[in-house]
Amino acid sequence: MTYLVIVAFIAIIGSLVAALVFMMRGQGTTDTEEATPRKNHMARALAFRVGFSIALFVLVLISYRMGWIHPTGLPMQP
């Protein structure tokens, strides 16, 4: 489970970096025909990031419900 979470975080960060690269490459262009595909790539990369984040959240919830992971927080004091 730990490795799966690490892979998910790497995918989220990689998608965010890809969106940053597409944004920085499209910054200096004034031609709208050239900037539009880059904006589409940036939007797609950000959409993948949101999808990966939601999938990771759902995976953690399902794993908790199935008993695959357990909370390790501080015990409550009476």
Side-chain angles (χ1 to χ4, degrees):
M1 191 65 185
T2 303
Y3 296 123
L4 192 61
V5 171
I6 290 171
V7 168
F9 274 128
I10 289 172
I12 290 167
I13 291 171
S15 179
L16 194 58
V17 168
L20 176 68
V21 168
F22 288 129
M23 182 180 71
M24 296 305 288
R25 284 186 184 168
Q27 189 176 27
T29 61
T30 57
D31 190 23
T32 58
E33 292 84 22
E34 187 177 329
T36 303
R38 289 187 179 147
K39 287 182 182 178
N40 290 340
H41 288 297
M42 184 180 71
R44 188 178 310 134
L46 290 174
F48 280 135
R49 185 193 67 84
V50 170
F52 288 140
S53 299
I54 291 171
L56 178 62
F57 182 73
V58 169
L59 179 71
V60 168
L61 284 177
I62 291 172
S63 298
Y64 175 72
R65 285 293 213 179
M66 298 293 286
W68 297 337
I69 59 174
H70 303 285
T72 59
L74 298 174
M76 295 192 56
Q77 299 290 327

